[in-house]
Amino acid sequence: MGPRPNLLTRRAAGVASTTLALLLSTAAVGVVPAASAFSAAPDGACMEPADSHADARMKPGGAAKHDPNELTVNQVREREADMAAALRERANYRTGAGATALATVTIPVVVHVIQENTTRAGGNIPDSMITSQINVLNQAYAGATGGAVTAFAFRLDRINRVTNPSWYPIVQGSSAERSMKSSLRTGGKNTLNIYLGELSNNLLGWATFPQRNLSSMDGVVVLSESLPGGTSTNYNQGDTGTHEVGHWLNLYHTFQGGCGGSGDSVSDTPAEASPAYQCPTGRNTCSATGLDPITNFMDYTYDSCMYQFTPGQASRMLTAWNAYRAA
């Protein structure tokens, strides 16, 4: 199906229609929910571009150095095996120490605005765009835009503004990115650090997958003008943020693996041979049942076209949270 008209109306002005209360608390349950195989980035300090364990979203024609957009079969296999091991470790820890798995989660968010100077053209976006982005995240992950309800809500804790021309634009996989994150990242595994600014290689954003050992590279990078009310045409309703946070919570792209294999490791997202751009209603690139999931937040379509996570994706994110990011 195509874009939902009420979604277009709600986000056209760059702000959420309502402010969602952060109702998801840290209630606990005793078991990790059942799910299919899951993944995590391999441990290790080396975070060179080719194995930075990052995933990106890009505009049509965009190209990242050492393309971070799709994992190899071996990378997926390693991540899935590591996720299974992490789940076993967490289960043993809960049995021995009485720890519990979370059923609902409120994620603290720290936003780092990377600026070349104090002008809007130099990255100095207003606070209102950032608060609107948090509202968009809360709508998307609460199922308010028409998708599945997930366990996650987001609470903006701090906006940190940094004027540093050597970090601007933010270049994926660079030593400057490493320096920026090593200097600025704050909080534990459960804290979402978002870095905003101009980006390299026509990218809209990128993110790290969860790991057993917290890395200073952990977090999400988003083109500042892709936030609600930004200037990035067709990508300025905040869903680059939604997409990249999905990776941070352990989701693959819907087109991961193409038409064969385990795909994105979620059973209720139809197989998709390649990224979808714009809003190609009725697109069907694989022989398996179901049209391409062009309205899913984990594809590459226009913000106006994407509006949903699936129940399988919601389950995958929560299981990964309990394996990697829960205290």
Side-chain angles (χ1 to χ4, degrees):
M1 69 194 310
R4 301 173 72 243
N6 64 334
L7 178 62
L8 293 171
T9 301
R10 177 163 59 250
R11 294 185 178 171
V15 296
S17 59
T18 58
T19 300
L20 294 180
L22 300 180
L23 298 178
L24 294 178
S25 64
T26 54
V29 294
V31 296
V32 176
S36 58
F38 298 95
S39 61
D43 294 338
C46 182
M47 296 290 286
E48 297 302 323
D51 64 346
S52 61
H53 319 306
D55 232 331
R57 186 186 184 206
M58 63 176 65
K59 299 177 184 178
K65 183 179 180 182
H66 301 292
D67 188 356
N69 298 288
E70 188 169 359
L71 303 181
T72 67
V73 172
N74 285 339
Q75 286 174 318
V76 170
R77 186 180 298 115
E78 289 172 354
R79 286 172 47 78
E80 299 298 310
D82 190 76
M83 179 66 175
L87 287 172
R88 288 193 297 270
E89 287 180 3
R90 294 291 295 187
N92 292 337
Y93 174 72
R94 283 192 295 273
T95 300
T100 56
L102 296 178
T104 56
V105 181
T106 295
I107 299 175
V109 182
V110 177
V111 175
H112 307 280
V113 182
I114 310 303
Q115 305 170 179
E116 184 176 38
N117 52 52
T118 58
T119 68
R120 173 71 179 266
N124 185 22
I125 61 171
D127 286 359
S128 59
M129 289 176 64
I130 296 170
T131 55
S132 292
Q133 176 67 73
I134 299 301
N135 287 339
V136 166
L137 290 177
N138 277 311
Q139 285 190 324
Y141 283 82
T145 56
V149 177
T150 81
F152 301 99
F154 301 85
R155 181 189 71 235
L156 179 61
D157 279 5
R158 184 161 64 94
I159 298 174
N160 175 37
R161 294 181 178 273
V162 180
T163 301
N164 187 336
S166 68
W167 293 345
Y168 194 93
I170 305 172
V171 179
Q172 193 273 329
S174 67
S175 59
E177 181 195 7
R178 184 190 304 275
S179 173
M180 175 190 73
K181 290 183 173 180
S182 297
S183 300
L184 300 180
R185 196 197 180 283
T186 186
K189 290 182 180 181
N190 67 321
T191 301
L192 172 60
N193 282 248
I194 300 178
Y195 303 86
L196 304 177
E198 182 66 22
L199 307 187
S200 66
N201 300 306
N202 208 32
L203 289 172
L204 291 162
W206 61 86
T208 56
F209 292 108
Q211 301 181 86
R212 281 191 261 182
N213 296 324
L214 179 62
S215 167
S216 62
M217 297 297 284
D218 181 77
V220 166
V221 179
V222 173
L223 176 69
S224 56
E225 293 295 346
S226 75
L227 270 61
T231 60
S232 185
T233 303
N234 296 316
Y235 303 97
N236 58 358
Q237 297 179 21
D239 283 325
T240 291
T242 306
H243 177 104
E244 298 306 338
V245 171
H247 289 313
W248 188 78
L249 292 170
N250 209 42
L251 293 184
Y252 296 142
H253 289 133
T254 51
F255 49 87
Q256 173 65 43
C259 298
S262 61
D264 65 351
S265 298
V266 177
S267 62
D268 59 2
T269 55
E272 184 177 27
S274 60
Y277 294 101
Q278 300 178 1
C279 194
T281 302
R283 184 177 190 252
N284 189 11
T285 57
C286 294
S287 60
T289 302
L291 298 176
D292 290 359
I294 66 166
T295 59
N296 195 283
F297 287 122
M298 302 312 295
D299 209 334
Y300 272 3
T301 50
Y302 288 160
D303 283 13
S304 59
C305 189
M306 54 174 56
Y307 65 85
Q308 66 178 328
F309 292 115
T310 66
Q313 288 173 316
S315 176
R316 178 180 175 86
M317 287 188 282
L318 181 57
T319 301
W321 180 273
N322 285 317
Y324 287 107
R325 297 197 183 277

